[in-house]
Amino acid sequence: GSLRSTLNEMAENSPCRDRIHIGGYTDELWQWMSVASVLVLLSRQEGQPNVALEAAAIGCPLVLVGLVLFLLGWWSSRPGMA
């Protein structure tokens, strides 16, 4: 999306830059996930987070940053849930 260049810059400046791969569209997602150390999902919301479910199905560790923050914000905005 619109923040891709910012994300690429952050990865390039990271001390872990040699271990970060920011992929684009691929038809070979299962192959990437099967060898990944972790899958990071930055989406703020997902209707059905298929990529997270697929990664979990093959045992790929997950970090659901944006989705978790979205859900926490939604949860805390519910009456009686704060």
Side-chain angles (χ1 to χ4, degrees):
S2 62
L3 297 176
R4 184 169 179 115
S5 61
T6 303
L7 187 59
N8 284 335
E9 184 178 330
M10 289 173 65
E12 289 169 10
N13 293 326
S14 169
C16 302
R17 66 184 158 271
D18 58 327
R19 294 183 285 161
I20 298 172
H21 176 78
I22 301 172
Y25 178 82
T26 181
D27 287 329
E28 301 171 357
L29 187 57
W30 286 91
Q31 292 172 351
W32 280 102
M33 286 191 293
S34 68
V35 297
S37 300
V38 64
L39 181 120
V40 179
L41 184 62
L42 299 173
S43 302
R44 288 193 186 140
Q45 56 187 5
E46 296 274 340
Q48 171 88 12
N50 288 333
V51 70
L53 297 172
E54 292 166 349
I58 62 169
C60 181
L62 299 166
V63 176
L64 306 174
V65 178
L67 184 58
V68 170
L69 293 176
F70 168 78
L71 291 173
L72 288 173
W74 175 83
W75 186 262
S76 65
S77 70
R78 308 298 298 168
M81 300 293 182

